[in-house]
Amino acid sequence: MKKLKHCAVLLVFLLIFANSYGLAHAAYGNTITVTSTYNIPAGWMIKSSSTFAGTTTYVLVDLNGAPYGATQSVTSTYNMPYGWMIKSSSTFAGTTTYVIVNLNNGPARATQQVTSTFNTPAGWMIKSSSTFAGTTTYNLVNLNGLPTGSTEQVTSTYNLPSGWMIQSSSTFAGTTTYNLIKAY
């Protein structure tokens, strides 16, 4: 009986230890309501906030473990994880809502449309862009995972991955197109 009691106490301490060191965590899409944005864990973002009687509460959303292409609406870009980008944004009643998209683990030659190049993950490049009503939309292409000898056309050399080279370029109507080849 005494050994069983010791095992139970040890198990409780182990569970407390595991939880306090992040070994037990929430899953993608889970939310939690807090009253401070101090020390938000990596991968969590502010989904919404509200103020009542002088106290602001924040709803945080967990983005950890999201699949490629997952989207989430947030009201702040604070603490945006690597590989997540702004797909679109809108403002209503003074609050801006951003729709963000996860580009991590995208298949080779996958494409995504975004409205900001902030936080562009390695290997993703601007294939083309267009501006309408003051908003520029960037069409990105993923060059990760392509074999040697692969080619791609892009309109910017920003974020050119290692192993890719500019084979040629041409300019038409003020837009330069770069023909890239993966050398190694």
Side-chain angles (χ1 to χ4, degrees):
M1 184 68 163
K2 193 172 188 180
K3 285 184 182 182
L4 186 60
K5 190 177 194 180
H6 283 224
C7 285
V9 169
L10 182 62
L11 182 60
V12 168
F13 281 127
L14 183 62
L15 289 173
I16 290 170
F17 175 79
N19 193 36
S20 67
Y21 281 89
L23 299 175
H25 61 84
Y28 167 66
N30 284 0
T31 60
I32 187 170
T33 302
V34 297
T35 57
S36 171
T37 58
Y38 175 75
N39 207 25
I40 295 176
W44 287 77
M45 291 187 69
I46 301 169
K47 187 166 182 67
S48 63
S49 63
S50 60
T51 303
F52 180 74
T55 300
T56 301
T57 57
Y58 303 90
V59 176
L60 304 181
V61 62
D62 184 3
L63 302 181
N64 293 303
Y68 163 74
T71 59
Q72 193 66 241
S73 295
V74 295
T75 57
S76 170
T77 57
Y78 172 70
N79 210 38
M80 187 181 301
Y82 175 79
W84 285 80
M85 297 186 70
I86 299 170
K87 192 165 182 68
S88 64
S89 63
S90 60
T91 303
F92 179 74
T95 300
T96 301
T97 300
Y98 304 92
V99 175
I100 58 175
V101 61
N102 181 20
L103 300 187
N104 292 307
N105 300 315
R109 286 223 165 88
T111 59
Q112 284 286 341
Q113 288 187 335
V114 297
T115 57
S116 170
T117 57
F118 168 73
N119 218 22
T120 305
W124 286 81
M125 296 194 64
I126 300 171
K127 188 160 180 68
S128 63
S129 62
S130 60
T131 303
F132 179 74
T135 300
T136 301
T137 300
Y138 302 92
N139 297 303
L140 302 181
V141 61
N142 184 13
L143 301 184
N144 292 311
L146 290 173
T148 300
S150 296
T151 59
E152 189 64 57
Q153 289 186 335
V154 298
T155 58
S156 171
T157 57
Y158 167 72
N159 213 29
L160 184 65
S162 177
W164 285 83
M165 299 177 69
I166 300 170
Q167 192 172 34
S168 63
S169 64
S170 61
T171 302
F172 178 76
T175 300
T176 301
T177 300
Y178 300 92
N179 296 305
L180 304 180
I181 186 164
K182 186 168 184 185
Y184 61 91

